[in-house]
Amino acid sequence: MASIPLLTITIFLPLLGVLAIMGNRGNGGLAFASNARWVALWTSLVTLGLALTLWGNFNPETSDFQFQDKLQWMPVLNVSYHVGLDGISLPFVLLSALLIPICILASWTAIQTRVAEFMVTFLVLETLLIGLFSSLDFILFYLFFEGVLIPMFLIIGIWGGPNRIYAAFKFFLYTFLGSVFMLLAILYVYFEVGGSSIPLALTTFFDPQVQTWLWLAFFASFAVKIPMFPFHTWLPDAHVEAPTAGSVILAGILLKMGGYGLIRFSIPMFPEASAYFTPMIFMLSIIAIIYTSLVALVQVDMKKLIAYSSIAHMGFVTLGIFTIDAQGMQGAVTQMVSHGLISSALFLCVGVVYDRIHSRQISDYGGLVHRMPRYAVFFMLFILASLGLPGTSGFVGEFLVLIGTYQVSTWAAALATISMVFGAAYGLWLYRRVVFGIMVHPKLLSIPDLNWREKIVFTPLLAGILILGIYPMPLLNLMGASLSHIIDQYNIAMDPEAEGIIDKKKSLEIALYMPRFSSFGGPAHRGSPSVTYKNMLVDLAAPVPTRILEIRSVNE
Amino acid sequence: MINFYAPDFKLIIPELILVTISLGLLIAGAFREKDSSASFRIYGRIAILSLILALFILVFQGLSGAQWVTFQGQVIQDDAIYFAKILILAGSGAVLAISLPSMVNEHLDSFEYSPLILLATVGMMLMVEANDFMVLFVGMEMQGLCLYILAALNKTEEKSSEAALKYFILGALSTCLYLYGVSLIYGFSGSTNFEILESVVRMESAGGLSMGIFLGLTFIMAALSFKVSAVPFHMWTPDVYQGCPTPITAFIAATPKIAAMVIFLRIMIKPCMLLYGEWQLVIVFISFASMVLGAFAALRQTDIKRLLAYSAIGQMGYVLMGIAAGNDEGIQAVFVYLTLYLVMIIGIFGCLMCLRGKGQMGVQNIEDLSGISKLHPKIALSLAIFMFSLAGVPPLAGFFAKLYVLKAALSAGLFSLAIAGVLTSVVAAYYYLKIVKVMYFDNVPEFPGASYGQTVAISIEMKIVLNLCAIIIFLFFVFPNPVLEMAQRAAFIFLR
């Protein structure tokens, strides 16, 4: 496998589909549109196949980055094209690869204008998302992270609902504002580390005082993306106005970018700051869970209701991440994956009836079970999964998070548990109002049930939700080693008994410290330190006191 | 390393070619009895070819790290100037290529156009290679006078005359400031030569420099701020951009900014580096003020050229951030930013000149672009790429430009300036996105004018330039190294 750059191929394969669609500039007629759909579908399916191959060849025993590809990109800046996967990023790559074909299938008939452009934006989005989760270079990461904004802006703005322009601008500017702070922090890290390599940065020690600022800068970006409580206002607008597929991507993957960033960067790079800010995160998460659940209860728009429920579910994710405990973090990642499946499915459910009736108001529906029994079954299973019924993936994620939280803070766990009741309330009430009851609206009398395409769309999501709910071990094993590596690193950084290790780390750093800022007139510093400690291996198998910290310095 | 004092015509062959051909074109035009659009096109193409020829000669000459001071120390050639001259030649050629059809369309096809552009180009080249305040003055005036005439080319249009007059009067004012500054520097240092000034500064900086040099430097900085349209000397920019015919605006917006910024950088870094502590705050202020004004004043503009003028003010603020950093990273940032800015601005004006707004004129209002993505998907796509790039959204080229200046600012410890930079870039993103919105989200108006959405007769060279610009901006992230390495070499020579 080493000879084939499998990950790189997976990342850039969708762009081939883009070229195929763009190259096929037909007369713009129906055949052309259908052609674009099929090309996009097949490209994304092949990408999914490649992503599954990655999974098949992935070794979950180690926390190292696998399938690494590294190429010189901008030697002047010491920035390279460097990608690789570990147990944390692989689930998200799989999720992205799964959801894109589903989105394309779901928009098969719903999108009738500018079909080729729509498919192109989704394929570009797929490249950006897979690239984002697998990049091991900060500049590359930022490129993908921000690049996502362009297709998303266009998706909301071109194919969105009546208030789409406001939503698109709000989405773009809000997330852009958050991200620029991260860019500054990335540049600071770049100067500290002497390059933009993420693996190198993950093993670099940052001064606790600086950590606070860097943590906040990264947090500004991730909190908007997740979105956490006071930064969530863009989400309902964007979700409501986006086309169904756009909502699916937003809820399914874009929200996970923030959670992924917190696990990947904030905790390993800034452990002291993470510990310092944990109470704040807990408070914001609890507020998010309770407040947005209550807000969801009073919504009259189905999409808005699901959007608010997303914020509540992501509250569990942040809660779980900052327990910095094996169960809590596993729960957080599981919750993200599960939410990616469940909320996507729920948005698709709304999309199914929206395509038929062209209304998202709950009051326009009722009694759908009489005309759409199969739809009612799917919808029910998804709603139950959303409120965390045992046997579905929603339960696994929330349960693990609550176990982790309980060990850290009983109060937080208690409050979060209570709020699950609200979750059941808005979910079941929504279901009752839409599916049960009497059919009062004459329009609904002739509504057709799910067709073959919609069933195909729902089946993999349902299968994923149930498999993860009944036997989550494949996913938990996948991320186990990587998460425990992060937790161990955190504990080493925070443990007063391990202080000596940190001091050693620090003194070594001072010894190897290269002038980071070039001075005027002096020899120009090219950003690449000639000396660097390349590997810091933590022996994970050994019990804590005997853990050996090896620091090797390598002359480049 | 430095070959002093030998007049060396070999090094100015590109300039000589351009001067000769422009004079030739002037004579030919004056002796032709009737001016026709066909002859206008021929003159234009000859001018483009001469620019390409000059560019080729420049590239083949190559300097590879050497520095040449020639013409009694008046003119200097090194890697940085080489880079700037390539930008100027390529930029002028590209602007000429995209503007010819539009000039014909707006009935501005008088024969003076091409020779004036060539002469202005020579002026700009003289500006960047000047090693003496007087040579710089000659270069600045040479390009300035050509630009004033070009701005007034549309004699019948009231707005155009107003713009030209404003441009001329304010330009003359900046010249006065410049000359006053130079006279002060001459009085206190005894020379107008950069190298002598540098040695004077070095000798005196230990024992406290005389006030006169500071004062002179301040006046010169004010004059150069004028040329790069930095706040608080930006007032002429929106009016001139709006009033001039679009092709002329494109020219004013593109290469003169590059030339002025490069010489600004050189004066600050070369002779006055030891005064860094003194001038840094001034540059930080004008950079900050330009970014803020550029971001906020453009928000409510409806005229697209006025919007681009404020955008240019803001973008120049970012470039100044690189000068404010004053180190290796800063110089690299200035060059990278200017290169990409030039490509973007030529692309944007090219797209605008393809389209016809109301009547014969080019696109004036942002609304004139409503729903253009349905009528002209390619033009709309390129314009969208340029807009996202100006907003600094990765993976487009503008992002790398911003990355470089922010990196420079952080490396010099200018944290608050960097934060101001990113915040204003978010504000500015709004109006760049607004143009994308108009093109992609809005529909074609229900009762469009007769010329709505029509294009001018797009010539081959226009197509080539536009495609090239769009490809460079879109795919810069794939092959960034040529530009980055040239910027690195330029910075290296500056700090040697």
Side-chain angles (χ1 to χ4, degrees):
Chain A
M1 269 302 137
S3 55
I4 309 169
L6 196 57
L7 183 55
T8 303
I9 296 174
T10 316
I11 294 173
F12 292 105
L13 186 76
L15 292 186
L16 269 185
V18 170
L19 287 181
I21 294 175
M22 301 259 265
N24 183 23
R25 275 274 161 225
N27 51 7
L30 283 175
F32 176 59
S34 138
N35 199 341
R37 289 191 189 107
W38 281 108
V39 171
L41 182 63
W42 277 110
T43 315
S44 58
L45 283 178
V46 174
T47 313
L48 176 61
L50 284 174
L52 291 174
T53 318
L54 286 173
W55 191 16
N57 289 302
F58 186 81
N59 173 15
E61 305 291 317
T62 163
S63 66
D64 291 340
F65 290 103
Q66 301 174 36
F67 310 107
Q68 288 199 37
D69 292 324
K70 195 169 182 179
L71 269 177
Q72 282 279 6
W73 182 24
M74 289 185 278
V76 176
L77 293 175
N78 195 18
V79 172
S80 52
Y81 168 80
H82 189 186
V83 289
L85 289 177
D86 71 350
I88 302 165
S89 44
L90 184 58
F92 296 106
V93 169
L94 289 171
L95 189 64
S96 315
L98 174 69
L99 285 182
I100 295 281
I102 286 178
C103 284
I104 289 170
L105 262 183
S107 341
W108 205 259
T109 53
I111 300 296
Q112 290 295 349
T113 51
R114 305 196 195 190
V115 179
E117 282 94 331
F118 187 82
M119 298 300 158
V120 164
T121 44
F122 265 86
L123 290 179
V124 170
L125 206 52
E126 179 162 28
T127 288
L128 294 173
L129 290 170
I130 296 179
L132 159 85
F133 289 120
S134 43
S135 48
L136 291 181
D137 184 284
F138 270 119
I139 303 296
L140 192 66
F141 172 80
Y142 191 80
L143 208 74
F144 288 128
F145 191 85
E146 284 284 273
V148 168
L149 292 183
I150 299 178
M152 224 37 231
F153 177 74
L154 295 176
I155 288 170
I156 299 175
I158 297 179
W159 295 279
N163 201 14
R164 60 186 194 275
I165 291 166
Y166 170 74
F169 271 84
K170 196 171 179 182
F171 163 75
F172 190 101
L173 294 176
Y174 221 120
T175 39
F176 195 48
L177 179 64
S179 308
V180 291
F181 287 109
M182 184 172 74
L183 178 63
L184 287 183
I186 283 177
L187 281 170
Y188 192 91
V189 170
Y190 169 89
F191 282 117
E192 286 286 308
V193 177
S196 59
S197 162
I198 289 177
L200 204 58
L202 292 181
T203 52
T204 305
F205 176 80
F206 293 94
D207 179 28
Q209 204 124 41
V210 179
Q211 272 190 27
T212 313
W213 292 105
L214 293 178
W215 191 92
L216 280 174
F218 273 93
F219 180 70
S221 171
F222 299 144
V224 169
K225 273 269 154 61
I226 289 177
M228 293 200 67
F229 158 64
F231 312 107
H232 67 280
T233 53
W234 62 270
L235 183 89
D237 288 308
H239 267 316
V240 169
E241 298 304 329
T244 306
S247 304
V248 170
I249 290 296
L250 264 177
I253 311 172
L254 256 67
L255 304 192
K256 313 303 179 289
M257 286 157 62
Y260 171 78
L262 288 178
I263 298 179
R264 168 68 74 235
F265 304 118
S266 297
I267 289 173
M269 274 161 58
F270 319 123
E272 276 91 348
S274 296
Y276 178 74
F277 284 111
T278 297
M280 182 189 83
I281 296 277
F282 273 27
M283 201 180 69
L284 292 180
S285 304
I286 296 289
I287 293 175
I289 294 171
I290 295 177
Y291 165 75
T292 51
S293 300
L294 289 173
V295 174
L297 266 175
V298 296
Q299 294 307 314
V300 292
D301 183 311
M302 286 196 269
K303 267 189 159 178
K304 222 169 197 165
L305 192 150
I306 300 168
Y308 277 109
S309 84
S310 285
I311 304 171
H313 285 130
M314 293 308 285
F316 276 98
V317 172
T318 42
L319 203 58
I321 291 172
F322 279 86
T323 56
I324 317 188
D325 165 85
Q327 274 141 343
M329 288 183 89
Q330 281 187 344
V333 178
T334 314
Q335 170 78 349
M336 278 198 269
V337 174
S338 124
H339 175 257
L341 299 172
I342 296 169
S343 67
S344 307
L346 287 175
F347 277 116
L348 289 169
C349 284
V350 178
V352 164
V353 288
Y354 182 79
D355 288 347
R356 289 162 168 73
I357 305 295
H358 297 288
S359 166
R360 290 185 308 258
Q361 300 297 312
I362 297 172
S363 54
D364 283 348
Y365 295 94
L368 285 180
V369 69
H370 303 301
R371 288 289 177 275
M372 306 176 74
R374 292 194 183 86
Y375 174 75
V377 171
F378 275 113
F379 197 11
M380 181 186 72
L381 287 169
F382 294 137
I383 287 277
L384 290 178
S386 160
L387 55 88
L389 187 80
T392 63
S393 60
F395 172 73
V396 180
E398 288 183 7
F399 187 66
L400 281 171
V401 168
L402 288 175
I403 291 179
T405 314
Y406 189 80
Q407 292 167 12
V408 182
S409 159
T410 321
W411 274 107
L415 286 169
T417 316
I418 289 169
S419 76
M420 286 175 73
V421 179
F422 295 125
Y426 64 70
L428 293 176
W429 196 32
L430 169 74
Y431 189 71
R432 199 210 77 79
R433 282 181 291 173
V434 172
V435 176
F436 293 141
I438 316 158
M439 292 189 107
V440 284
H441 299 286
K443 264 206 286 188
L444 297 176
L445 287 173
S446 58
I447 193 167
D449 203 350
L450 297 180
N451 57 27
W452 62 269
R453 182 178 53 78
E454 286 156 346
K455 276 183 235 161
I456 291 177
V457 166
F458 283 131
T459 311
L461 292 175
L462 187 60
I465 290 167
L466 291 179
I467 291 170
L468 279 185
I470 294 163
Y471 188 64
M473 285 323 282
L475 179 64
L476 297 182
N477 282 341
L478 193 63
M479 59 193 163
S482 304
L483 279 180
S484 58
H485 177 65
I486 288 176
I487 293 163
D488 285 337
Q489 265 202 327
Y490 174 82
N491 286 336
I492 291 170
M494 297 310 294
D495 193 355
E497 280 181 24
E499 194 64 53
I501 299 174
I502 295 179
D503 282 351
K504 198 173 147 198
K505 213 164 129 189
K506 234 188 237 172
S507 60
L508 190 91
E509 169 141 312
I510 293 162
L512 299 179
Y513 186 89
M514 292 293 297
R516 281 162 193 154
F517 302 107
S518 64
S519 50
F520 322 123
H525 169 51
R526 294 280 161 264
S528 62
S530 54
V531 186
T532 171
Y533 42 90
K534 203 169 194 179
N535 275 319
M536 210 177 67
L537 299 175
V538 181
D539 187 356
L540 292 172
V544 179
T546 58
R547 227 167 246 153
I548 305 158
L549 198 69
E550 272 184 44
I551 304 178
R552 258 190 274 150
S553 63
V554 180
N555 278 323
E556 280 184 355
Chain B
M1 277 304 237
I2 297 176
N3 304 7
F4 223 113
Y5 292 147
D8 195 341
F9 288 97
K10 218 167 59 194
L11 291 170
I12 58 158
I13 292 175
E15 287 90 329
L16 292 177
I17 291 174
L18 295 186
V19 172
T20 319
I21 291 181
S22 68
L23 293 179
L25 287 179
L26 270 182
I27 292 168
F31 277 90
R32 260 186 85 87
E33 281 173 17
K34 232 179 86 207
D35 231 15
S36 71
S37 56
S39 62
F40 173 77
R41 282 210 186 87
I42 292 168
Y43 293 151
R45 292 210 167 122
I46 292 172
I48 294 170
L49 285 179
S50 65
L51 284 166
I52 292 173
L53 179 69
L55 187 61
F56 265 110
I57 290 170
L58 189 66
V59 171
F60 279 124
Q61 273 180 345
L63 288 157
S64 62
Q67 192 176 40
W68 305 79
V69 181
T70 178
F71 290 101
Q72 277 79 38
Q74 311 269 347
V75 166
I76 184 168
Q77 307 283 1
D78 61 32
D79 273 342
I81 291 156
Y82 174 71
F83 190 5
K85 274 160 85 172
I86 288 179
L87 289 184
I88 290 167
L89 282 173
S92 295
V95 172
L96 204 51
I98 55 172
S99 64
L100 291 181
S102 182
M103 292 294 280
V104 174
N105 187 47
E106 294 190 18
H107 300 300
L108 296 172
D109 45 354
S110 55
F111 73 92
E112 297 96 336
Y113 178 65
S114 310
L116 279 176
I117 288 216
L118 289 186
L119 282 177
T121 309
V122 175
M124 287 183 266
M125 291 168 78
L126 203 54
M127 269 171 84
V128 293
E129 65 197 3
N131 195 34
D132 188 295
F133 281 114
M134 292 324 288
V135 177
L136 174 58
F137 173 70
V138 172
M140 231 152 71
E141 284 313 287
M142 189 164 171
Q143 61 107 24
L145 288 172
C146 293
L147 292 181
Y148 305 145
I149 301 170
L150 285 174
L153 212 53
N154 197 355
K155 293 175 287 246
T156 51
E157 180 73 26
E158 212 173 287
K159 262 197 174 156
S160 176
S161 311
E162 183 199 330
L165 201 62
K166 267 186 188 157
Y167 194 21
F168 175 67
I169 291 174
L170 291 174
L173 182 65
S174 87
T175 306
C176 295
L177 288 177
Y178 174 81
L179 281 179
Y180 190 47
V182 172
S183 68
L184 278 170
I185 284 189
Y186 178 69
F188 282 88
S189 75
S191 168
T192 55
N193 192 291
F194 288 174
E195 269 154 17
I196 295 172
L197 175 64
E198 189 178 3
S199 53
V200 168
V201 168
R202 189 176 299 131
M203 274 188 297
E204 291 191 7
S205 61
L209 210 58
S210 56
M211 210 54 209
I213 289 185
F214 286 141
L215 208 57
L217 191 63
T218 314
F219 277 116
I220 289 171
M221 278 161 78
L224 288 171
S225 303
F226 240 104
K227 297 283 178 206
V228 300
S229 68
V231 176
F233 305 100
H234 64 283
M235 271 76 147
W236 59 274
T237 323
D239 293 333
V240 170
Y241 270 48
Q242 187 186 12
C244 289
T246 311
I248 311 295
T249 313
F251 189 66
I252 292 173
T255 35
K257 291 250 162 53
I258 311 288
M261 198 52 99
V262 169
I263 195 66
F264 202 159
L265 178 73
R266 230 155 65 77
I267 292 176
M268 291 298 114
I269 302 291
K270 270 290 198 197
C272 305
M273 194 63 236
L274 288 171
L275 306 177
Y276 179 69
E278 324 291 331
W279 57 254
Q280 190 209 19
L281 193 64
V282 180
I283 303 281
V284 167
F285 169 74
I286 58 176
S287 161
F288 172 78
S290 304
M291 291 189 297
V292 171
L293 186 110
F296 285 95
L299 287 178
R300 300 198 68 83
Q301 301 302 329
T302 53
D303 185 296
I304 192 156
K305 283 196 284 176
R306 230 180 147 75
L307 186 147
L308 283 173
Y310 283 111
S311 141
I313 294 170
Q315 302 282 342
M316 286 302 124
Y318 288 105
V319 186
L320 285 166
M321 207 196 273
I323 299 185
N327 53 12
D328 176 35
E329 275 95 349
I331 300 164
Q332 289 188 39
V334 170
F335 277 100
V336 171
Y337 208 110
L338 287 179
T339 313
L340 298 175
Y341 178 71
L342 180 70
V343 180
M344 286 189 269
I345 217 71
I346 289 172
I348 288 171
F349 276 102
C351 290
L352 293 183
M353 276 189 271
C354 282
L355 297 165
R356 276 162 57 173
K358 293 189 181 66
Q360 282 298 313
M361 294 293 285
V363 177
Q364 273 288 338
N365 285 318
I366 299 175
E367 273 74 50
D368 291 349
L369 294 169
S370 301
I372 220 75
S373 67
K374 286 179 188 132
L375 302 172
H376 303 290
K378 269 188 191 163
I379 296 174
L381 181 67
S382 327
L383 204 48
I385 286 174
F386 297 130
M387 286 302 153
F388 277 119
S389 175
L390 273 181
V393 185
L396 303 170
F399 163 70
F400 292 94
K402 290 233 161 64
L403 182 76
Y404 254 85
V405 288
L406 290 175
K407 177 169 153 279
L410 288 189
S411 77
L414 300 167
F415 291 103
S416 40
L417 192 62
I419 290 172
V422 295
L423 287 180
T424 51
S425 84
V426 175
V427 178
Y430 172 76
Y431 57 77
Y432 296 127
L433 290 183
K434 202 165 79 176
I435 295 177
V436 176
K437 173 223 140 195
V438 167
M439 290 190 304
Y440 277 89
F441 304 170
D442 290 359
N443 289 319
V444 180
E446 286 191 19
F447 303 105
S451 64
Y452 190 87
Q454 291 191 358
T455 57
V456 301
I458 300 172
S459 62
I460 299 167
E461 58 261 30
M462 194 171 187
K463 253 185 203 161
I464 294 172
V465 169
L466 279 182
N467 281 326
L468 212 60
C469 288
I471 288 169
I472 290 173
I473 295 301
F474 188 60
L475 291 183
F476 178 76
F477 71 100
V478 185
F479 308 108
N481 288 322
V483 173
L484 303 189
E485 274 160 17
M486 270 175 90
Q488 193 187 21
R489 275 208 298 278
F492 181 73
I493 204 97
F494 260 79
L495 291 174
R496 197 171 58 185

